[in-house]
Amino acid sequence: DKTEEAPKELEEEEVKSEVLYEGPFASLSLRLKRVSITSAAVSLVGVPLLVALKTGGDIPAVGSMAVGGTAVLAATGSTIALSYCFSPYIQTLE
């Protein structure tokens, strides 16, 4: 009988990533994406909450929901458009 030896584990070598290219607007685009995502999240949570809390008054409920829906659509739509426009932008190459 031949006993098979267990394959030796390869030692992990630390691979230092060297930045070959960094886009001139990398930090600006990342900051812009973060602000856009944050405002969309606040809009998704805050606008329905405000519409629910703001009942009565001169504005009918359907009108309040229409305005709230438009605000949510604008916030999320701009975030999606920003993501689409910056998708081909190269932040860094390593």
Side-chain angles (χ1 to χ4, degrees), residues 34-73:
R34 287 181 188 134
V35 168
S36 182
I37 289 171
T38 302
S39 67
V42 168
S43 174
L44 284 171
V45 172
V47 171
L49 185 63
L50 286 174
V51 168
L53 293 177
K54 179 73 175 153
T55 55
D58 296 340
I59 302 173
V62 174
S64 295
M65 291 188 332
V67 169
T70 303
V72 168
L73 184 65

